[in-house]
Every structure is written in structure tokens, then in C-alpha cells.
């Protein structure tokens, strides 16, 4: 259980922050940027949730909690990626759940005939924004993994999540009927 009694500590005033376990890194370190970008994506999902209800909102609520797990994973150095009561790690079960939801939603969608422009409904547009932020989080996590061990399942979760958000955005656009399609060269 997390208990915060004081929000500011002044510990980061010099441009450093602490990882789980106390190791200090500069705030522009790729690991820190990765979990910061996960946090940013989570905030974008929170905005999308202002326009969702029912099963879609339930999925996004669970995803927001998963993203805190992924952020905690990225903030925890080491090369043992086994989850425990003391160490949060992204798990294959979380990835599988995303895949199952993607498959279920995708079964109801109209086939794609073009690339999709973000839009259609407010929820869909916000989910496309969140999807692009998740893609950036994935890229930064991959960069971080070149310098030190990063849980490959956390990276896989981010990859699958961006797919999930894309499919959910289409689902919320009346199963793709209200998708905004790219028209190549339309404004030449």
C-alpha cells in the first residue's frame, strides 16, 4: 500500500530522481523518460474515459491500473523480472488479456480500406492521442533497454496496448462506421 504524506520532497530539485530501491538517476535518463511517458499516456486515457461508459470504460479503468504496474516495473532496476509481493512487474497475463479484448472487439469491426485519421467521436480521438503516447513510451523503453535490463514483458505490454487503443477507438466509432479515413493526395 502506498501512503504519501508529503507531495514535495525537494529531492529532485537538482535534476535527479530516485528509482525503486533508492538508486538516483538524472530526470532525462531513458528509464525515467519511459515511465514518465507511461504516466503521460495514462493521463490521456483518463481524458478519454470522460467520454466512455460501460464495457469500454471498464477496460480503460483496468488498463489505467495496469499502466501503474508497468510504470513501477520500469522504475525498478534489475534483471529479475519475476513479479512478487514486493516487486511489481508487467506479466504475460496482462498482455494476454489485452490480446483477448483486441480479438473480441476486432471481430465486430468493419474491414479497413484506408489508414485512419484520429477523430470520429471524442472518445476515439482521445484514444488515438493516448495510442500515440503509448507508442512513444514503447520507443523510449526500448532505448532504455539498450543501456540496462528492462522487462521485455513491459515493452510487449506497451506494444499490445497501442494496438488495443487503436481497435477500441474504432469500436467506439460505431464499429468503424464513423472512422475518419485518410484520402491520399486529397488536397494537392
Amino acid at each position: 500500500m502506498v501512503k504519501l504524506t508529503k507531495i514535495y520532497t525537494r529531492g529532485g530539485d537538482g535534476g535527479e530522481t530516485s528509482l525503486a530501491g533508492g538508486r538516483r538517476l538524472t530526470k532525462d535518463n531513458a528509464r525515467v523518460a519511459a515511465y514518465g511517458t507511461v504516466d503521460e499516456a495514462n493521463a490521456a486515457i483518463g481524458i478519454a474515459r470522460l467520454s466512455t461508459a460501460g464495457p469500454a470504460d471498464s477496460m480503460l479503468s483496468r488498463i489505467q491500473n495496469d499502466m501503474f504496474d508497468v510504470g513501477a516495473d520500469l522504475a525498478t532496476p534489475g534483471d529479475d523480472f519475476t513479479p512478487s509481493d514486493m516487486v511489481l512487474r508487467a506479466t504475460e497475463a496482462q498482455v494476454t488479456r489485452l490480446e483477448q479484448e483486441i480479438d473480441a472487439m476486432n471481430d465486430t469491426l468493419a474491414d479497413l480500406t484506408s489508414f485512419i485519421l484520429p477523430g470520429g467521436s471524442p472518445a476515439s480521438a482521445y484514444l488515438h492521442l493516448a495510442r500515440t503516447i503509448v507508442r512513444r513510451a514503447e520507443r523510449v523503453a526500448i532505448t532504455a533497454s539498450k543501456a540496462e535490463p528492462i522487462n521485455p514483458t513491459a515493452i510487449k505490454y506497451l506494444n499490445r496496448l497501442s494496438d488495443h487503443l487503436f481497435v477500441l477507438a474504432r469500436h467506439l466509432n460505431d464499429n468503424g462506421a464513423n472512422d475518419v479515413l485518410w484520402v491520399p493526395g486529397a488536397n494537392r
Side-chain angles (χ1 to χ4, degrees):
M1 177 61 110
V2 175
K3 181 179 180 183
L4 300 174
T5 57
K6 190 172 186 178
I7 299 304
Y8 68 90
T9 63
R10 297 188 176 109
D13 292 351
E16 291 187 342
T17 191
S18 295
L19 298 178
R23 185 172 132 211
R24 304 279 294 167
L25 292 177
T26 60
K27 290 184 177 185
D28 64 349
N29 178 280
R31 178 184 286 275
V32 177
Y35 67 75
T37 308
V38 167
D39 189 35
E40 182 183 349
N42 204 345
I45 290 171
I47 292 170
R49 288 188 66 202
L50 296 173
S51 300
T52 62
D57 192 62
S58 295
M59 282 189 277
L60 293 173
S61 174
R62 184 194 38 75
I63 286 167
Q64 283 192 293
N65 279 281
D66 284 353
M67 290 188 71
F68 260 81
D69 292 353
V70 170
D73 189 328
L74 293 170
T76 304
D79 57 6
D80 180 2
F81 304 123
T82 308
S84 70
D85 290 340
M86 299 302 294
V87 179
L88 275 172
R89 295 293 188 189
T91 66
E92 285 295 328
Q94 290 168 305
V95 174
T96 299
R97 189 169 40 247
L98 289 175
E99 291 172 347
Q100 291 168 344
E101 291 173 359
I102 290 168
D103 291 344
M105 289 184 291
N106 207 43
D107 284 345
T108 67
L109 295 178
D111 291 340
L112 282 174
T113 58
S114 178
F115 287 107
I116 294 175
L117 302 177
S121 67
S124 178
Y126 293 137
L127 288 172
H128 281 295
L129 174 62
R131 173 186 58 77
T132 65
I133 298 169
V134 170
R135 282 281 190 220
R136 181 162 33 95
E138 178 188 12
R139 291 189 303 271
V140 178
I142 290 168
T143 297
S145 74
K146 292 176 182 176
E148 60 183 303
I150 298 289
N151 184 358
T153 305
I155 293 171
K156 186 189 294 188
Y157 182 89
L158 293 171
N159 182 275
R160 212 64 82 249
L161 177 58
S162 63
D163 295 335
H164 188 288
L165 296 175
F166 177 80
V167 172
L168 181 56
R170 294 198 67 218
H171 176 72
L172 294 176
N173 267 345
D174 197 21
N175 287 325
N178 293 326
D179 284 339
V180 180
L181 301 180
W182 172 47
V183 180
N187 300 308
R188 289 187 200 177

